[in-house]
Amino acid sequence: MSTLVIKDLHVSIEDKEILKGLNLTINTNEVHAIMGPNGTGKSTLASAIMGHPKYEVTQGTIEIDGENVLEMEVDERAKAGLFLAMQYPSEISGVTNADFVRSAINARREEGDEISLMKFIRELDKTMDFLEMDQEMAQRYLNEGFSGGEKKRNEILQLMMIKPKFAILDEIDSGLDIDALKVVAKGINEMRGEGFGCIAITHYQRLLNYITPDHVHVMMQGRVVKSGGPELAQRLEAEGYDWIKQELGIEDTDAVTEEA
Amino acid sequence: MTVETKLALSATEVRSFSQSNNEPAWFGSLRAEAIEKAAELPMPTPDKTNITKWNFTEFPQHTVESAPFSSLDELSADLKEIIDIEGQENLYIQRNNTPAFLKISEELKAQGVIFTDILTAVREHSELVQKYFMTEAVKVDEHKLTAYHAALVNGGVFLYVPKNVVVEKPLQVVFLNDNADASLFNHVLVVADTNSAVTYVQTYVSTVEESNGQANLIEEVIALDNAQVTYGSVDVLAKGFTTYVNRRGHIKRDAKVDWALGLMNDSDTISESITHLIGDGSLANTKTVVVGRGEQKQNFTTEIRHWGKNSEGFILKHGVMKDSAQTIFNGIGKIEHGASKSNAEQESRVLMLSEGARGDANPILLIDEDDVMAGHAASVGRVDPIQLYYLMSRGLSKAEAERLVIHGFLAPVVTNLPIESVKNQLTKVIEGKVR
Ligand SMILES: Nc1ncnc2c1ncn2[C@@H]1O[C@H](COP(=O)(O)OP(=O)(O)OP(=O)(O)O)[C@@H](O)[C@H]1O
Ligand SMILES: [Mg+2]
């Protein structure tokens, strides 16, 4: 079992503090859902874990099995077992999807022990079939001209090929049609198990209908303000966030600005 | 003030060189007249690059003797990689100034295709060469360097494809430079007659560390009505050359030329590629990639000039600059009066890999006609840190991520080279250069 521990995390972007002391612990074999209103720092958390160059961690720690993640370069974090399915994946012209995924797999292997081309192609074909992706997508340039939904599916393809210990899925359900949502959920469920833990950032219960979370956390104002089981997500779906705000005495900053 | 440039050969010397080659009288006269013009004509003036201090005229010797290859087994391993030894049916290898190997299939011969070194062509196909050699596309008296070239031509290729002949498989040429004292005044003349089609791919390979010579290269592509020419070149000339390369297309009615150029010289280089879309409905696609490194200074001017109605021209240039390399990219789309319904598009992108490198992309549209379409895009930038982050988040090292982004950036030309082995060679050269 592996554990990802985030303690008292403070993160700024362009000198604006977004995360203000966030705590979260995830084990493999667990699925955690993170929900919360727009702009409360969910993507910031994901980016800070992965090491996005624009996000500055000013306080706190992130550790995988006791290893200090914050000292690692982005690629080292990936090799330590972290994976982020991004809300807005980059497009890279001239680099085929297949070449990229193969490089990513080989980056985890010793020189001289690269995955054989045949084995790679077999696995890629199989996984693309599983995700109901057109084989032609393998030879397309990485995310270039992909539709929103195709990009998300492609993130899951990479996830399944790379097999990380911890995946953070940032709104993997946004922009997906119903069938695509089922396919993506099928991919994530396929990964579930002993060696895999997952943080799914989402706004909607519908993803969680397919991927039942073990834990649900609510983020507001740069912190986790409430945690619970799957029933918490269901209540949020039904009632929204106001009850939590009232319960915790959180002022709606946006509303205040509007009134002023 | 005019700078006195000393020409290496006199008219008498040029004439006697021509005679020793058994060239027909017209070619001897062309050379002799050209050397006299070269003495008087001004240097070309590439936009935004000052070449007054560059040495384009002096060299150790006009021609060097090299041994031909009696079989392809004699080629070095590097050269063998560029050539599909078994599969390549039509192949010409020039070693410095010596025609070193020629293979042409019976099928092409039977169809009347002429594929031979330029000086043999001058002798054996005199009339045909005389008709097109620096008459339609490039003119002898454009400036000092075109005249100098005409006077001193010492290599190159003649390719003629007769009417209605469609050559399916690419013809390949390799210009090997393995003598540091060699100078290359190579002339490539491709004439695709009416309704014909051909694919020509050449490679310049220098195996010398540093050259003492000149490279003054002129390449002319004449595509007659409804002909199609695909022209690929990978240039990898050594440091030390002063390179002037002039590629010119002369495209008639409904004819088409596709240029795919991998310009990977390590020498200082002035490159101009101009395609004249003469005929109505003619089309030119010019795709160029460049890598500059070290102290290299380069100027690449790509121009498509529209004369015919409904003519279409596309210029795509991608350059990668590292170290303290300095490169100017001039892209010119010019639509002449009368070339109505024409379309001139261009895109220039420069990727800077180091602080000390300089790259300028200058897109220019000159339009003398109302009813046309035109567009340009240009950018000079660095590798996008967000792209690197994305790639690294999958475990790729920074170096590997950069390598992928750079290869991706240059892919539009690499993938367009019609011979697999040459494509691989270009990929390898890029790999070596951007490392
Ligand atoms: N470059 C930036 N400069 C200034 N503020 C930024 C920048 N990037 C993000 N922010 C701010 O940080 C805050 C948190 O953004 P983040 O993307 O983490 O929110 P989120 O919870 O993921 O929201 P959503 O649900 O809409 O995806 C927002 O207020 C956002 O405007
Ligand atoms: Mg977000």
Side-chain angles (χ1 to χ4, degrees):
Chain A
M1 185 187 82
S2 285
T3 310
L4 176 67
V5 181
I6 301 164
K7 274 192 197 148
D8 189 33
L9 190 68
H10 290 249
V11 176
S12 295
I13 178 157
E14 281 156 23
D15 290 330
K16 185 174 151 202
E17 183 162 75
I18 309 292
L19 296 190
K20 301 168 182 166
L22 180 137
N23 296 294
L24 195 63
T25 299
I26 302 148
N27 297 310
T28 44
N29 213 3
E30 292 175 2
V31 171
H32 293 239
I34 295 186
M35 306 183 79
N38 294 128
T40 49
K42 300 181 298 299
S43 293
T44 303
L45 171 64
S47 300
I49 295 173
M50 204 66 234
H52 189 294
K54 278 203 172 152
Y55 294 79
E56 192 197 352
V57 176
T58 54
Q59 197 178 316
T61 58
I62 304 177
E63 291 181 349
I64 283 191
D65 299 333
E67 296 270 345
N68 183 351
V69 170
L70 294 177
E71 271 183 2
M72 300 178 192
E73 294 293 331
V74 177
D75 56 322
E76 292 168 335
R77 295 179 194 209
K79 285 190 251 181
L82 293 172
F83 180 96
L84 170 57
M86 303 201 186
Q87 190 168 1
Y88 305 106
S90 290
E91 301 190 2
I92 319 266
S93 188
V95 178
T96 65
N97 226 354
D99 282 349
F100 168 56
V101 175
R102 192 149 67 99
S103 303
I105 290 173
N106 284 332
R108 287 166 172 74
R109 302 167 70 118
E110 296 296 319
E111 224 176 297
D113 183 38
E114 285 88 1
I115 185 167
S116 82
L117 188 58
M118 284 312 294
K119 180 157 187 260
F120 170 74
I121 292 174
R122 257 200 322 273
E123 256 179 62
L124 187 70
D125 280 359
K126 199 181 75 187
T127 315
M128 289 182 85
D129 277 350
F130 183 86
L131 292 172
E132 295 167 33
M133 287 172 79
D134 198 329
Q135 293 294 344
E136 167 259 0
M137 303 287 274
Q139 293 312 318
R140 292 261 303 268
Y141 291 154
L142 180 52
N143 291 329
E144 193 180 64
F146 283 28
S147 75
E150 285 168 347
K151 280 185 185 161
K152 299 289 169 158
R153 217 183 277 224
N154 203 37
E155 294 287 282
I156 300 301
L157 173 69
Q158 294 173 37
L159 170 75
M160 295 185 72
M161 293 296 290
I162 291 174
K163 304 183 178 68
K165 278 190 211 153
F166 291 102
I168 305 150
L169 312 172
D170 195 355
E171 297 198 23
I172 197 69
D173 50 342
S174 75
L176 292 184
D177 65 45
I178 304 293
D179 293 333
L181 181 70
K182 283 187 199 164
V183 168
V184 161
K186 185 173 81 163
I188 297 160
N189 285 328
E190 176 77 11
M191 294 290 297
R192 271 182 106 147
E194 284 299 319
F196 180 72
C198 175
I199 303 177
I201 297 171
T202 180
H203 286 294
Y204 304 107
Q205 171 62 33
R206 53 170 204 177
L207 175 72
L208 306 179
N209 289 340
Y210 298 106
I211 310 167
T212 314
D214 302 295
H215 303 275
V216 175
H217 311 277
V218 178
M219 267 184 77
M220 281 185 192
Q221 298 183 337
R223 289 186 197 91
V224 172
V225 295
K226 197 167 184 65
S227 298
E231 72 292 342
L232 177 56
Q234 276 156 13
R235 183 158 177 208
L236 292 174
E237 176 86 353
E239 300 177 30
Y241 292 105
D242 278 349
W243 64 275
I244 299 189
K245 287 179 193 164
Q246 275 166 16
E247 199 177 288
L248 299 172
I250 291 172
E251 298 258 327
D252 200 325
T253 41
D254 289 343
V256 173
T257 349
E258 266 164 81
E259 279 160 26
Chain B
M1 196 188 82
T2 52
V3 181
E4 214 34 64
T5 38
K6 197 169 133 284
L7 302 184
L9 271 74
S10 68
T12 323
E13 286 169 315
V14 160
R15 254 190 208 286
S16 80
F17 173 71
S18 178
Q19 274 158 8
S20 69
N21 265 340
N22 297 319
E23 290 168 6
W26 71 268
F27 205 67
S29 306
L30 184 146
R31 286 183 184 274
E33 283 161 30
I35 199 78
E36 272 158 13
K37 285 177 189 156
E40 283 155 25
L41 285 166
M43 287 292 288
T45 50
D47 202 18
K48 293 196 163 66
T49 302
N50 183 347
I51 57 168
T52 50
K53 296 219 168 66
W54 295 29
N55 169 19
F56 286 98
T57 49
E58 287 163 51
F59 47 76
Q61 47 197 118
H62 177 226
T63 48
V64 296
E65 286 295 325
S66 310
F69 299 110
S70 53
S71 106
L72 294 178
D73 297 337
E74 292 171 27
L75 300 182
S76 71
D78 283 353
L79 227 49
K80 280 182 183 159
E81 273 186 21
I82 310 176
I83 301 163
D84 173 4
I85 303 279
E86 308 282 284
Q88 188 59 45
E89 291 173 9
N90 300 290
L91 172 68
Y92 170 65
I93 303 175
Q94 178 178 312
R95 184 174 191 181
N96 303 305
N97 312 122
T98 305
F101 186 88
L102 177 67
K103 185 162 92 169
I104 174 164
S105 72
E106 289 307 318
E107 188 192 350
L108 286 203
K109 277 192 217 161
Q111 286 173 319
V113 172
I114 302 168
F115 179 50
T116 183
D117 75 276
I118 191 84
L119 296 180
T120 299
V122 164
R123 287 191 300 267
E124 294 181 2
H125 307 280
S126 178
E127 270 179 43
L128 203 50
V129 175
Q130 188 173 12
K131 184 168 176 198
Y132 294 107
F133 185 91
M134 299 188 85
T135 56
E136 296 217 22
V138 179
K139 305 286 180 350
V140 172
D141 59 3
E142 288 182 17
H143 48 65
K144 189 184 290 291
L145 297 183
T146 50
Y148 205 43
H149 171 95
L152 300 185
V153 175
N154 61 4
V157 171
F158 180 60
L159 168 60
Y160 173 78
V161 186
K163 279 194 182 93
N164 303 321
V165 171
V166 173
V167 181
E168 302 283 352
K169 290 189 188 150
L171 287 84
Q172 183 171 17
V173 169
V174 176
F175 293 107
L176 168 65
N177 163 234
D178 60 2
N179 179 333
D181 284 340
S183 280
L184 309 174
F185 290 87
N186 288 342
H187 195 99
V188 175
L189 178 56
V190 174
V191 179
D193 214 326
T194 313
N195 295 325
S196 70
V198 69
T199 296
Y200 168 90
V201 180
Q202 64 173 33
T203 310
Y204 271 94
V205 194
S206 288
T207 58
V208 299
E209 192 72 11
E210 183 154 359
S211 163
N212 308 313
Q214 295 294 339
N216 178 327
L217 317 172
I218 295 185
E219 299 171 4
E220 303 183 276
V221 171
I222 319 282
L224 301 185
D225 291 357
N226 207 34
Q228 297 200 8
V229 178
T230 301
Y231 194 106
S233 184
V234 174
D235 303 358
V236 196
L237 285 167
K239 195 165 81 180
F241 276 112
T242 309
T243 304
Y244 169 73
V245 48
N246 180 336
R247 301 195 155 100
R248 191 74 58 87
H250 199 76
I251 314 302
K252 299 288 181 69
R253 185 177 50 77
D254 295 320
K256 177 183 174 195
V257 64
D258 280 302
W259 303 92
L261 309 173
L263 307 180
M264 299 289 142
N265 291 341
D266 280 316
S267 62
D268 289 349
T269 298
I270 299 296
S271 160
E272 60 165 277
S273 328
I274 304 180
T275 300
H276 291 277
L277 295 174
I278 306 289
D280 293 351
S282 54
L283 189 150
N285 244 313
T286 306
K287 296 189 175 170
T288 312
V289 287
V290 172
V291 175
R293 65 169 172 182
E295 308 274 291
Q296 235 182 328
K297 292 188 176 54
Q298 303 191 87
N299 180 301
F300 299 95
T301 299
T302 310
E303 176 171 346
I304 297 180
R305 198 177 285 201
H306 299 250
W307 305 86
K309 293 185 200 339
N310 286 303
S311 58
E312 287 193 278
F314 302 95
I315 298 174
L316 179 77
K317 284 201 273 195
H318 282 195
V320 172
M321 294 301 122
K322 60 181 273 196
D323 306 330
S324 358
Q326 295 183 17
T327 305
I328 305 288
F329 291 92
N330 297 314
I332 305 167
K334 184 155 198 271
I335 303 185
E336 301 289 344
H337 185 66
S340 55
K341 305 237 173 340
S342 287
N343 184 13
E345 301 286 342
Q346 59 168 302
E347 186 185 325
S348 294
R349 309 235 175 254
V350 186
L351 196 58
M352 310 289 284
L353 298 186
S354 71
E355 295 292 331
R358 269 195 43 204
D360 287 332
N362 309 305
I364 300 164
L365 282 170
L366 302 165
I367 298 180
D368 245 338
E369 173 64 48
D370 293 329
D371 183 16
V372 299
M373 298 214 299
H376 64 78
S379 67
V380 177
R382 304 195 172 272
V383 177
D384 178 4
I386 304 305
Q387 286 189 336
L388 290 184
Y389 164 66
Y390 183 72
L391 296 173
M392 287 173 72
S393 79
R394 303 308 188 233
L396 305 190
S397 66
K398 186 160 189 219
E400 176 69 3
E402 267 177 355
R403 197 187 71 85
L404 277 188
V405 171
I406 293 164
H407 277 281
F409 179 74
L410 299 176
V413 171
V414 180
T415 51
N416 264 287
L417 279 168
I419 296 183
E420 201 61 29
S421 53
V422 177
K423 195 185 289 187
N424 294 339
Q425 180 225 2
L426 179 57
T427 305
K428 237 173 105 177
V429 171
I430 291 171
E431 191 94 345
K433 284 196 163 218
V434 299
R435 171 164 304 157

